[in-house]
């Protein structure tokens, strides 16, 4: 399959097309409840192509994608999730909040038709990579940008993605055979969702409110609110 | 201004809308040559709203956005870039490749009408954040997802973004008054581009080729190419 997204230079977008992007971004969710039907291979390819079209520092393209269908590997990763989640639960303050935590479904490792590990190859640091001399973390950050491209493309295809971070990277690395220089960035569950809800689950159940954007906005210095020359 | 992107649950997208997202993703570039005209406040808001609609671990929303118009701060950051870039240049193998590096324009700190620092607040790690117990890096990774939402939204608006990583985070943190617990994730230059080129600059000038997606694709274990049960 063609794995490059071809574009003309000078491409521009209408107000309706901008609104489409906004709706895709706004309706993307972290999905944990999946239907079992498989996702079409064409959709999966479009998701991977979008990831591969992400910006990467020094055009390093440091990502790899491991498609995981093995029940055995998924069962082991699920076991790891269950153990970690039990420990995590006990770190939540006892009472209502811990009960709320316990009631949350936080992954769909076994129910989703596909798991996808997105990894970052740090081997390339031995060679000169443009742009990482003072900020080596840029390599991992590039892989995160690829994940977001994939996530949005999945949403446009009607496909749900859930990022599971309640696992121990060490055992997961071993299960997936990652060499030392390869970092696990994202462990994703992928499939058609039972539904796309209108708000994030943690907002909906009252775990955490959405914050006001204004609160996160500063001018020229962190914490500074007043305008100076413009804006 | 309204700072929430409102969506209905069950939103779905047509093949044309999917193609729009694909074109936006495919035509996004790291821009270093800017026109000087300011970007409309409405466009900037839509970019920030898109960033704020990104997924974040435990709905932590750990991002902050510092709009930088101060010439003084930008000059100091540019000075830091120049010093770091000189050192970096000397790490490139002498000859043709070093000449190529020297010829590259790698930032638009002073020419772009706006700089934007995107930071990550780690203070929240003191409280219980859902999903970071075994993967604390998830906080920083969430901020990267927000940057990609912003970047794509800028592209749809016809606005260019360039991520400058050839700076020392320490001095930049000091210039922007970041507290210890706040990490610099991205230093961005923002404005209308002189052009959106059809390919990444580093690909176009022959610094690095685009890799084949197939090369980055594995099945069940890193490095494993053969299909097992499906896909």
């Amino acid at each position: 399959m063609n794995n490059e997204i071809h574009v003309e230079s000078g491409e521009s977008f209408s107000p309706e097309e901008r609104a489409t992007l906004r709706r895709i971004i706004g309706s993307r969710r972290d999905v944990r409840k999946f239907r079992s039907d498989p996702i079409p291979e064409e959709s999966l390819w479009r998701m991977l192509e979008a990831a591969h079209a992400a910006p990467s520092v020094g055009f390093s393209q440091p990502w790899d994608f491991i498609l995981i269908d093995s029940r055995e590997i998924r069962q082991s990763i699920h076991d790891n999730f269950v153990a970690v989640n039990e420990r995590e639960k006990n770190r939540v303050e006892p009472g209502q909040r811990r009960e709320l935590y316990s009631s949350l479904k936080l992954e769909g490792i076994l129910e989703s038709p596909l798991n996808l590990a997105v990894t970052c190859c740090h081997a390339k640091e031995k060679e000169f990579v443009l742009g990482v001399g003072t900020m080596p973390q840029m390599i991992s950050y590039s892989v995160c940008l690829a994940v977001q491209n994939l996530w949005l493309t999945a949403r446009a295809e009607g496909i749900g993605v859930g990022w599971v971070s309640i696992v121990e990277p060490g055992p997961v690395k071993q299960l997936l055979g990652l060499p030392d220089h390869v970092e696990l960035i994202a462990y994703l569950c992928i499939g058609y969702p039972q539904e796309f809800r209108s708000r994030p689950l943690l907002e909906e159940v009252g775990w955490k409110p959405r914050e006001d954007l204004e609160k996160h906005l500063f001018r020229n210095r962190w914490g500074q609110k007043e305008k100076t020359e413009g804006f």
Side-chain angles (χ1 to χ4, degrees), chain A:
Chain A
M1 276 191 217
N2 180 358
N3 65 41
E4 193 162 343
I5 298 182
H6 182 75
V7 292
E8 303 299 328
S9 60
E11 187 77 91
S12 71
F13 300 94
S14 68
E16 291 71 29
E17 290 174 315
R18 290 177 203 160
T20 295
L21 175 62
R22 188 176 168 90
R23 278 170 53 228
I24 295 169
I25 284 175
S27 61
R28 181 214 48 77
R29 289 289 163 268
D30 191 286
V31 170
R32 297 95 188 255
K33 291 185 181 172
F34 294 92
R35 286 156 38 196
S36 59
D37 37 329
I39 58 174
E41 192 162 336
E42 315 85 76
S43 299
L44 177 60
W45 266 98
R46 285 193 286 264
M47 291 160 56
L48 294 168
E49 286 171 342
H52 193 48
S56 63
V57 65
F59 206 41
S60 54
Q61 306 159 74
W63 39 69
D64 289 310
F65 306 95
I66 311 176
L67 301 167
I68 303 159
D69 59 354
S70 158
R71 296 302 300 180
E72 198 183 335
I73 291 175
R74 288 160 67 168
Q75 185 62 56
S76 299
I77 287 172
H78 188 263
D79 291 348
N80 188 266
F81 162 80
V82 170
V84 173
N85 198 43
E86 186 62 25
R87 290 206 306 267
E88 285 292 294
K89 190 185 78 186
N90 292 323
R91 291 178 52 221
V92 183
E93 52 179 305
Q96 247 185 341
R97 207 153 162 82
R98 188 176 292 177
E99 273 168 45
L100 179 54
Y101 184 96
S102 303
S103 74
L104 297 171
K105 176 158 175 59
L106 296 173
E107 50 72 46
I109 297 168
L110 296 172
E111 307 94 287
S112 61
L114 179 67
N115 289 187
L116 177 68
V118 186
T119 62
C120 177
C121 185
H122 290 279
K124 291 169 181 165
E125 284 185 48
K126 285 167 200 165
E127 50 176 285
F128 179 84
V129 178
L130 192 157
V132 304
T134 51
M135 298 188 76
Q137 64 272 38
M138 287 296 296
I139 300 259
S140 309
Y141 292 176
S142 302
V143 178
C144 298
L145 304 178
V147 171
Q148 186 64 1
N149 271 7
L150 180 147
W151 208 333
L152 295 174
T153 300
R155 181 60 189 88
E157 300 273 340
I159 291 169
V161 172
W163 184 325
V164 183
S165 63
I166 306 177
V167 287
E168 291 166 302
V172 174
K173 276 190 74 162
Q174 197 164 23
L175 283 161
L176 301 180
L178 305 193
D180 283 347
H181 64 277
V182 175
E183 177 191 358
L184 174 72
I185 301 285
Y187 193 87
L188 307 175
C189 305
I190 299 179
Y192 289 105
Q194 290 188 9
E195 62 182 334
F196 284 111
R197 303 184 73 88
S198 61
R199 293 193 293 160
L201 178 72
L202 296 183
E203 182 185 6
E204 198 181 301
V205 301
W207 177 266
K208 228 177 166 319
R210 182 176 296 278
E211 291 169 5
D212 194 40
L213 172 55
E214 269 292 352
K215 190 189 135 195
H216 292 272
L217 204 57
F218 301 127
R219 290 164 199 278
N220 287 314
R221 286 178 68 83
W222 196 89
Q224 188 167 293
K225 286 297 192 182
E226 61 275 24
K227 296 188 185 199
T228 49
E229 292 160 43
F231 307 108

